[in-house]
Amino acid sequence: MTKYRIKPSVFLYYPSDHIGVVGFDEDSHETFFINLNSSSLKKLLVHTLFDLPMLKESFECEQVTAKEILNKLLIYKIINEDL
Amino acid sequence: MYIDIGEYLFRVDKAPNIVINNLKLMYDDAFSGFSHSPADFSVSLSHDSLLRRFVKPQVTFYLGNNSPFKPLPASQSYPVMEWGMNWCIAATDFNRLIVHAAVLVKNNKAIIFPATPGSGKSTLSAYFALSGWKLYSDEMAIIDLDTLKVMPLFRPVCLKNQSISLVKEWFPQSIFTGIAKDTQKGDVAHLKINNFAEFKTFSPVDVVAIVFPKYQKNTKTEPYMINKSTGFEKLAANSFNYNILGRKGFDGIQRLIEKTQQVEINYNDLSDVDNLLTSEFTL
Amino acid sequence: MNKQKTYNYIESLIFHNEIPIIVLKEWEIIIHVLREINLLAACYFRLEAEDKLTLLPLFALKHMKSAAVYSSRQSEQVIFESKLLQKILDDKDIHAVFLKGASYTLRKSRNSKGRVYSDIDLLVKKNDISKAETSLEKHAWRTKKVSEYDNNYYREWSHEIPPMFNIHRGTVLDLHHNILLPISGREVNVELLIENCQSIDGGYTVLGFAATILHSIVHLIINEDVSNGYRDILDITTLIKENDSPEFWQEITLLSSKLGFNNELYLALSLSKKYANLTVPNNVLMGLSEQINNSKLNFLLNYVYFFALQPHSPAVQTLKHKIAISIVYILGHLQKMPLKILVPHLLTKSFFSIRDQIFGKHHFDK
């Protein structure tokens, strides 16, 4: 099972109103606005390494949605596959 | 010649007489022949070419030997000086977060009004500043990233087009420069708010709110809270040097957003906005 | 403060990290000159390395620190950009060598901190230029719009294609296939230079230190524009001091002889001695005895280059500086092209600059 980790150059801000998450990548200097449930994301990223089932659990969602979320995180370049 | 705007000191090496006269009018004692302090910037306004001195005269703004803008008609000399000064600050200060925004202060609490399109921030600045608020800036919020306090700047307000006549109507005693016509922003004039002695009593203060006003002709004055990640996005988008500050900028804006409220206000009457903000933030 | 005094303080600060003992007001001109010659950030990092930042007045520190923040951001961008470029070229099997500013940053040499970059310079084989251009275009790089005249200049006479820029990030890239104009008859044997390459962390290729320094020297001396000359000598001096070893000196003297740049080497080393008190080993000087005994060259050194490279700021410049700069301007052009090409080129160039003097630089902008 493929495992993923958050990129070490990425920093996240979880706003106190729990709506969305703001990220910053120190390498590319890009700032991105992540349209995902912030408490779920926070829950997920407590783990250094995670996989798709763990994502599904944190977000309490269907497999299909979990895959979409994983894809989103990959497209944003927030996470890397753990090789 | 020196211009002391509080946070920065400018040395003016060369400028047309009309500019010097307007500087005296806008800056009173802050404009002087000499200063014992070292100037942050040495600027000048000069003609570039032989032809342009006499035929359709042009001026160019210089910081040292560098000119950041194209030459502009000499009739716009004074606005060019003011815009040049803005440029010097925004292009060289990477020690603080600099937001393209107006800053008005009441009861030692600051509200930042980012310069989003349709905000009418200049007219708002003039109105508030002449109605009991302190003007910290009509153009740039200088924010210390450690204390998150905003710095006062001693500058006139830059008004455009109809705002000029509007403000003259509301405040007949106000002190204006002449109007420079046909600039890239339309007709432009500068308005003096405080004198330097009053300004010297201003000190860095905490920010309580970041307000995004939107002028709409036929609307009730209505505030909307916006969510913090949107607030972050809008504030960063209006910051001159966010891209350079990197992680420090990200952390600073994050803390500022958490510390303040972010509000959008549709309005058509500035006194309503004044009352709303004063009561909302107990100023 | 008079011009000579101002210059002396600046030389001690830049080349010897000596903080001037002056009153606060006098720092005004020092900071303005440093800003003018783009050495504010470099000064910050050099003083930081010697733990001397606390000796600066707040006024000086804040301006240097601000410049350092900007410079660090640019370095990060160069590193980020280089990573992407290396991948694009690797994918097409194009061997590229990073030159100048980017190479200093990538190899983390001592002079890399505080740099101001305008672009990234890459050296590729002449045969690979087209392939590289095409591949880059697929990755959002475009060629800058230059006048038709300049376009020809670049492609036919110069050693590079017109600059490319990235449409998303605005970064500018210069692709070279040599380091001197082929038409000048002083074409460098590029193979020799590339033989001197080394691989560094990250999988990048850069020239060896001797070749790097020689490249920097040649670029400085055989150039009509020396407005960054002071900064260039600082680079050269810092690089030499970082690599000061018998092997290094042997390598650079050998390379210089092979490539025929002993005059330039002599000038650069002598200027480093004058500004920075650089120690040059005796055997190296012995190898340059022809230059040491060349009175014309020494005249150029002491009365032309010594002044022409000093900061191009009104705070420091006198008439002799301006004359020296004009002489270098003419000499620089002469060295880059044979006279029959130079004269039409200069005439075209000067028509444009006379035209701009009268009508103003932007009159004909579209």
Side-chain angles (χ1 to χ4, degrees), chain A residues 26-30, chain C residues 73 76-77 80 83:
Chain A
E26 235 178 358
D27 278 346
S28 66
H29 269 256
E30 270 179 59
Chain C
R73 171 69 183 105
E76 284 161 18
Q77 187 154 15
F80 179 72
K83 218 176 190 169

Side-chain angles (χ1 to χ4, degrees), chain C residues 105-171:
Chain C
T105 298
L106 293 172
R107 80 209 301 169
K108 301 192 180 60
S109 57
R110 219 178 281 160
N111 69 323
S112 66
K113 297 208 97 176
R115 286 201 79 78
V116 168
Y117 311 81
S118 46
D119 48 31
I120 296 183
D121 292 90
L122 279 176
L123 176 69
V124 298
K125 295 204 197 95
K126 197 165 184 180
N127 299 342
D128 280 340
I129 286 262
S130 216
K131 194 161 73 158
E133 221 179 335
T134 314
S135 188
L136 288 164
E137 273 165 12
K138 294 207 179 97
H139 289 91
W141 289 87
R142 298 284 174 272
T143 311
K144 245 189 188 175
K145 244 184 140 64
V146 290
S147 74
E148 175 114 17
Y149 179 81
D150 281 338
N151 193 17
N152 286 336
Y153 174 80
Y154 275 113
R155 290 188 191 270
E156 278 184 37
W157 299 347
S158 176
H159 49 280
E160 51 190 277
I161 63 171
M164 297 187 87
F165 68 98
N166 183 288
I167 58 175
H168 300 308
R169 298 179 294 273
T171 318

Side-chain angles (χ1 to χ4, degrees), chain C residues 82-99:
Chain C
S82 301
K83 218 176 190 169
L84 296 176
L85 284 168
Q86 185 69 44
K87 177 128 208 321
I88 294 172
L89 297 170
D90 274 346
D91 283 347
K92 290 286 176 196
D93 263 318
I94 298 172
H95 186 218
V97 183
F98 284 89
L99 302 173

Side-chain angles (χ1 to χ4, degrees), chain C residues 336-361:
Chain C
K336 273 162 127 175
M337 306 168 145
L339 212 57
K340 68 172 191 251
I341 309 279
L342 175 66
V343 173
H345 177 68
L346 268 186
L347 277 182
T348 319
K349 276 292 167 194
S350 42
F351 163 73
F352 289 140
S353 49
I354 291 170
R355 179 199 74 180
D356 289 346
Q357 281 283 78
I358 297 176
F359 293 101
K361 198 154 188 249

Side-chain angles (χ1 to χ4, degrees), chain C residues 89-340:
Chain C
L89 297 170
D90 274 346
D91 283 347
K92 290 286 176 196
D93 263 318
I94 298 172
H95 186 218
V97 183
F98 284 89
L99 302 173
K100 300 197 229 163
S103 86
Y104 304 143
T105 298
L106 293 172
R107 80 209 301 169
K108 301 192 180 60
S109 57
R110 219 178 281 160
N111 69 323
S112 66
K113 297 208 97 176
R115 286 201 79 78
V116 168
Y117 311 81
S118 46
D119 48 31
I120 296 183
D121 292 90
L122 279 176
L123 176 69
V124 298
K125 295 204 197 95
K126 197 165 184 180
N127 299 342
D128 280 340
I129 286 262
S130 216
K131 194 161 73 158
E133 221 179 335
T134 314
S135 188
L136 288 164
E137 273 165 12
K138 294 207 179 97
H139 289 91
W141 289 87
R142 298 284 174 272
T143 311
K144 245 189 188 175
K145 244 184 140 64
V146 290
S147 74
E148 175 114 17
Y149 179 81
D150 281 338
N151 193 17
N152 286 336
Y153 174 80
Y154 275 113
R155 290 188 191 270
E156 278 184 37
W157 299 347
S158 176
H159 49 280
E160 51 190 277
I161 63 171
M164 297 187 87
F165 68 98
N166 183 288
I167 58 175
H168 300 308
R169 298 179 294 273
T171 318
V172 178
L173 171 66
D174 276 334
L175 272 182
H176 305 251
H177 56 81
N178 203 327
I179 64 165
L180 268 191
L181 304 178
I183 211 157
S184 68
R186 288 197 74 179
E187 179 169 294
V188 170
N189 185 344
V190 186
E191 300 301 325
L192 209 60
L193 226 53
I194 296 188
E195 260 173 47
N196 251 276
C197 275
Q198 61 182 91
S199 264
I200 56 173
D201 273 346
Y204 306 109
T205 311
V206 294
L207 297 176
F209 265 117
T212 298
I213 293 168
L214 198 60
H215 179 213
S216 188
I217 289 174
V218 166
H219 201 260
L220 166 64
I221 307 285
I222 305 185
N223 198 341
E224 74 280 9
D225 175 11
V226 286
S227 51
N228 291 316
Y230 210 59
R231 212 180 68 203
D232 292 339
I233 290 284
L234 180 65
D235 268 334
I236 291 163
T237 314
T238 310
L239 283 166
I240 292 176
K241 284 187 175 169
E242 190 179 356
N243 295 286
D244 197 343
S245 71
E247 295 75 33
F248 161 75
W249 285 112
Q250 194 175 49
E251 225 189 305
I252 198 168
T253 43
L254 213 66
L255 198 60
S256 176
S257 293
K258 263 194 198 167
L259 294 174
F261 287 125
N262 277 346
N263 284 350
E264 289 76 12
L265 180 65
Y266 173 71
L267 283 172
L269 290 179
S270 309
L271 288 162
S272 297
K273 282 175 83 179
K274 281 170 176 291
Y275 297 139
N277 250 347
L278 181 73
T279 318
V280 181
N282 278 326
N283 58 333
V284 174
L285 293 171
M286 285 200 310
L288 295 170
S289 56
E290 189 191 308
Q291 282 71 27
I292 294 177
N293 294 314
N294 181 335
S295 55
K296 284 199 197 120
L297 196 60
N298 283 305
F299 177 83
L300 268 184
L301 166 67
N302 294 311
Y303 294 98
V304 179
Y305 280 100
F306 179 68
F307 294 110
L309 299 195
Q310 288 180 15
H312 286 208
S313 164
V316 154
Q317 302 242 301
T318 59
L319 186 61
K320 64 176 183 275
H321 291 91
K322 296 186 190 159
I323 295 174
I325 292 169
S326 311
I327 297 176
V328 168
Y329 182 79
I330 296 170
L331 276 179
H333 266 299
L334 278 175
Q335 290 181 84
K336 273 162 127 175
M337 306 168 145
L339 212 57
K340 68 172 191 251

Side-chain angles (χ1 to χ4, degrees), chain B residues 120 123-124 127-128 170 267-275:
Chain B
T123 318
L124 184 150
Y127 179 87
F128 276 48
W170 296 334
Y267 74 99
N268 79 339
D269 188 313
L270 282 169
S271 62
D272 286 345
V273 184
D274 184 344
N275 294 329

